[in-house]
Amino acid sequence: MDVFRPRESAKTALNNKAIEAENLAKIYRGNIKAVDGITFSIDQGEIFGLLGPNGAGKTTTIKMIMTLTTKTSGSLHVFGLDVSKYSEQVRKMIGYIPQSISVDADLTAYENLLIFSKLSYVEKKERDSRIHKALEYMGLSARKDEIVKRYSGGMMRRLEIAQALVNHPKLLLLDEPSIGLDPSSKKQVWDSIRQLNQEFGTTILITTHDMNEADELCDRIAIMSEGKIAVMGTPAELKREVGGDIITVEMSDSYHIPSFPKVIGKIIRNDDLEIEILTEDGEQAIPLIADFFRGHGISVESISINKANLDDVFMKYAKRRLTDEMFKSVRKTRRDFARHSR
């Protein structure tokens, strides 16, 4: 199949599975369970998000899908092929874009794709055609002979997607595809991912710390925590499951919060000077919350209300804010962009 020939979306045309994992586990020396018996499947043509804090098991799961590490137990199939028996065939169907910049900034866009096509064993007679089609598809044809270090971060990401397309992947794995990008570049990358999926039915697996990215792009998401899948579903389903409103209370000083009345709500985060309370009706709960703190002699700086979002879903199942970890990854990636642009 030619990746650059539009066809009917796989979402409506196919019912086959791109990835099927059953009781999949990876245990390292010392009985360290990086992945602890997870079961999930991804439909062909689906955009699937894999979310979780650092150390949750996402990277190990990706490595097993890419055949870079072997499973300890369970089963794993990619487009019906057992990755343990058909690792070479599986690798030929997969494209991968890591979080760290993988293109060579001292080469042109064309040269980067030429090297990749050789490493991917693309036949010599097809290389030039595939390279030009990939660059054109990602809107980089006009700057194909320009040194990559002159590219913006967003252009580097689009070049990496073009690089992956040279191999005509059926499955594209994206690790933090837009992290560290400015809003305009992020939108361009998101549009490219949607276009690739909608026009050609490419199955896409995304790992991300960006809740907006997961909400905007993913048909379904799975949240991993401590090697297990804590919850899985569409973004809308997961947000409905959290339900209600999130009340954030900022305190003037650090206090011990006594037992909180269940009739008002449930404390889902309790930091030194800030707590978050999940409640069914925020407007009715706010005066009750204010009375509760006042009655215990606790000085309140401010009270605010927000509807539940994916970050709240993550907080419920992983017991932490994913956005807190995103800032570390953003700083690392931006340093990476800067280093490649020198």
Side-chain angles (χ1 to χ4, degrees), residues 111-122:
E111 289 168 341
N112 268 282
L113 268 61
L114 178 60
I115 291 173
F116 186 83
S117 66
K118 292 179 180 179
L119 293 173
S120 301
Y121 302 105
V122 175

Side-chain angles (χ1 to χ4, degrees), residues 54-181:
N54 296 328
K58 305 187 305 297
T59 300
T60 301
T61 301
I62 295 295
K63 285 183 177 179
M64 287 190 283
I65 293 170
M66 294 179 63
T67 76
L68 295 178
T69 189
T70 57
K71 61 183 174 62
T72 302
S73 61
S75 65
L76 178 60
H77 292 79
V78 174
F79 296 106
L81 296 178
D82 187 330
V83 296
S84 299
K85 298 178 181 178
Y86 302 99
S87 58
E88 184 176 345
Q89 292 92 322
V90 167
R91 282 196 296 271
K92 288 180 179 179
M93 294 189 287
I94 294 177
Y96 173 59
I97 300 175
Q99 179 180 335
S100 299
I101 300 301
S102 58
V103 291
D104 191 326
D106 292 321
L107 299 178
T108 66
Y110 183 91
E111 289 168 341
N112 268 282
L113 268 61
L114 178 60
I115 291 173
F116 186 83
S117 66
K118 292 179 180 179
L119 293 173
S120 301
Y121 302 105
V122 175
E123 292 187 19
K124 187 175 182 180
K125 62 182 180 181
E126 295 183 16
R127 288 174 193 162
D128 191 66
S129 174
R130 288 199 190 188
I131 291 169
H132 280 95
K133 285 180 179 178
L135 290 170
E136 181 181 359
Y137 186 75
M138 296 310 299
L140 296 171
S141 292
R143 301 181 67 173
K144 67 182 178 64
D145 296 319
E146 188 173 333
I147 299 296
V148 172
K149 66 173 60 176
R150 297 174 186 163
Y151 281 17
S152 66
M155 290 178 66
M156 289 184 190
R157 278 294 186 222
R158 284 158 51 207
L159 179 60
E160 288 181 314
I161 296 175
Q163 183 172 267
L165 293 180
V166 168
N167 197 35
H168 287 190
K170 294 179 67 177
L171 170 65
L172 187 58
L173 307 178
L174 304 174
D175 187 3
E176 302 284 358
S178 68
I179 196 159
L181 300 181

Side-chain angles (χ1 to χ4, degrees), residues 25-64:
K26 178 65 178 181
I27 302 175
Y28 291 106
R29 246 179 231 176
N31 199 34
I32 299 173
K33 296 180 180 179
V35 176
D36 191 6
I38 63 174
T39 296
F40 72 99
S41 64
I42 300 176
D43 293 333
Q44 290 194 34
E46 186 174 23
I47 300 180
F48 189 89
L50 192 59
L51 283 60
N54 296 328
K58 305 187 305 297
T59 300
T60 301
T61 301
I62 295 295
K63 285 183 177 179
M64 287 190 283

Side-chain angles (χ1 to χ4, degrees), residues 207-242:
T207 66
T208 181
H209 282 96
D210 188 333
M211 294 294 97
N212 289 331
E213 183 164 80
D215 209 352
E216 283 282 334
L217 294 178
C218 297
D219 299 309
R220 289 187 302 140
I221 62 174
I223 294 177
M224 291 192 71
S225 180
E226 298 179 346
K228 297 179 180 292
I229 291 180
V231 67
M232 182 164 52
T234 68
E237 288 171 346
L238 298 183
K239 284 184 285 188
R240 280 198 302 269
E241 188 171 321
V242 172

